[in-house]
Amino acid sequence: MITTTTIGSYPKPPEVPITDWFTARPGSDGVMDYTSAYAAQVRAMSDAEERFQRATAEVIRDQVEAGIDVVTDGEVRRENYVHHQCRHLVGFDFEELGRHRMRDTVETCLPRIVGPVGFESSPLARDYQVAQSLSPRPVKVTLPGPMTIRDSTIDVHYRDPRVLGADLAGALNQQVLELVAAGCRHVQVDEPLLARRPAEALDHGIDDLARCFAGVPAGVVRTVHCCCGYPRRLDDPDYPKADPGAYLELADALDRAPFDQVSIEDAHRPNDLDALLPRFATTTVVLGVVAIARSRVETAAEVEARLRAALEHLPPERLVAAPDCGLGYLGRDLAIAKLRAMVEGAARVP
């Protein structure tokens, strides 16, 4: 049977009142601020850890009951998938924010990189162990990649993307190795900027991603998630996305890189699988078969049909079914419905 997984975020349960990527709205000046409220909101919860653990248990239970094979903790502790990790790296300033047009679309208040980036300590390994203790299925942990961190922050120190990317990769590698030492066997680095800037990805971005996994032993599944862009709201069909040809530009280099799995979106904007999938000669493809920005629930038959099309080019052991990206915009009921449809569709494929 086809393995199933989720990608990262999940709708936060109400008991975790954290302003996140999916609930923040522009201020009166039209500027988004994802980061300012987070620390104060966590401090205001005297029982924050207890709440986070209950929320983690709930989102894992939803995934397990839906039939997902490799689950995530839903990123319920995070204000977004990027900045939570940056808070635990040296060199970032979260007090004096700057403004930047993130992803070339939205003016946003963002943390600044004010000194050499490094790694000292992180709660990520502990968070993994908590999540795994609550799950009968393997838990995958997600981290942002170097290109995505650079585009989600303001660099006032390096002013050289290659040097900054290398330092970010080194710091992320230390986080990854801590996770592995804690027992984690599924590590995913999220790098949507690969598809948005394929020339930069081919020049140094994929090499930086490879450094994130340096020293990871056999038996740990190294996954790179490369979606084409995130919406600002649910049912926004025209949100900006990467060029449709970006995956074709990147596929050969990604297949040569030391990754076990490459996660791509295919539900919101289907790919030409005949042209794309043969490029992945050895790498497992995590194929997005349910859309995360559309409220219509896919049928199991639709999922089955797309997976069968993929199996014309890949053996079943190198195909994984997943949502296009994180599920944070959907709300719990829609997320569960889409996961169940995905699992049912995958189960129909021999």
Side-chain angles (χ1 to χ4, degrees):
M1 293 177 61
I2 301 296
T3 299
T4 59
T5 190
T6 45
I7 297 301
S9 68
Y10 194 86
K12 283 185 172 58
E15 63 186 318
V16 182
I18 299 296
T19 300
D20 63 16
W21 214 303
F22 311 104
T23 59
R25 295 293 179 267
S28 58
D29 58 358
V31 178
M32 298 292 292
D33 186 350
Y34 300 111
T35 61
S36 293
Y38 174 80
Q41 289 169 338
V42 173
R43 284 196 299 269
M45 293 188 292
S46 59
D47 56 347
E49 181 58 28
E50 181 182 341
R51 290 193 189 205
F52 282 136
Q53 291 197 26
R54 287 200 305 266
T56 301
E58 179 180 309
V59 302
I60 288 175
R61 184 167 58 249
D62 282 356
Q63 293 170 77
V64 170
E65 290 179 354
I68 300 298
D69 296 307
V70 180
V71 304
T72 73
D73 68 355
E75 301 175 351
V76 295
R77 297 174 181 269
R78 311 183 191 186
E79 72 268 44
N80 60 60
Y81 76 103
V82 181
H83 295 149
H84 185 77
Q85 301 308 109
C86 297
R87 289 180 183 276
H88 304 294
L89 297 178
V90 176
F92 289 82
D93 179 9
F94 278 82
E95 298 300 322
E96 184 180 336
L97 303 179
R99 290 188 179 187
H100 173 62
R101 192 163 291 279
M102 190 171 67
R103 311 291 188 268
D104 301 320
T105 59
V106 184
E107 188 172 2
T108 310
C109 290
L110 297 173
R112 300 179 306 135
I113 297 175
V114 297
V117 170
F119 175 81
E120 287 186 349
S121 64
S122 168
L124 196 61
R126 179 213 64 193
D127 295 346
Y128 158 73
Q129 290 175 322
V130 169
Q132 189 61 74
S133 73
L134 298 168
S135 175
R137 305 280 172 84
V139 173
K140 176 173 61 179
V141 176
T142 63
L143 300 89
M147 285 181 65
T148 297
I149 291 177
R150 279 176 24 223
D151 193 68
S152 307
T153 56
I154 299 172
D155 172 27
V156 298
H157 175 74
Y158 285 86
R159 307 188 190 278
D160 184 328
R162 287 177 178 81
V163 177
L164 173 55
D167 280 2
L168 285 167
L172 292 168
N173 176 243
Q174 289 181 268
Q175 285 192 313
V176 169
L177 293 177
E178 274 203 355
L179 277 170
V180 171
C184 184
R185 292 299 175 262
H186 293 266
V187 180
Q188 174 181 297
V189 178
D190 297 329
E191 197 67 289
L193 266 291
L194 290 181
R196 286 181 176 256
R197 298 176 188 168
E200 185 178 334
L202 293 170
D203 180 65
H204 60 272
I206 293 175
D207 288 340
D208 286 341
L209 267 176
R211 282 193 284 272
C212 293
F213 290 109
V216 171
V220 176
V221 179
R222 302 161 296 177
T223 301
V224 170
H225 172 61
C226 176
C227 68
C228 291
Y230 222 80
R232 300 183 205 177
R233 56 181 171 80
L234 193 62
D235 291 324
D236 178 12
D238 299 320
Y239 65 90
K241 299 187 79 64
D243 185 274
Y247 284 154
L248 287 171
E249 290 186 62
L250 297 169
D252 292 339
L254 288 170
D255 191 55
R256 291 192 300 267
F259 312 135
D260 300 299
Q261 299 184 348
V262 173
S263 166
I264 60 175
E265 73 172 64
D266 188 64
H268 184 86
R269 188 178 68 194
N271 299 282
D272 179 352
L273 298 185
D274 295 338
L276 178 62
L277 294 187
R279 304 283 191 92
F280 292 101
T282 60
T283 307
T284 294
V285 173
V286 182
L287 190 69
V289 291
V290 296
I292 52 81
R294 191 166 57 218
S295 58
R296 186 184 76 81
V297 178
E298 291 80 1
T299 66
E302 290 171 327
V303 172
E304 176 191 7
R306 198 57 175 165
L307 291 173
R308 288 189 183 277
L311 286 172
E312 294 181 10
H313 306 286
L314 296 171
E317 64 271 18
R318 286 204 296 114
L319 180 63
V320 176
D324 271 352
C325 198
L327 302 171
Y329 271 125
L330 293 175
R332 185 184 184 193
D333 291 344
L334 267 180
I336 291 172
K338 283 179 174 269
L339 292 181
R340 286 176 175 168
M342 184 179 82
V343 170
E344 182 182 345
R348 295 181 179 187
V349 180

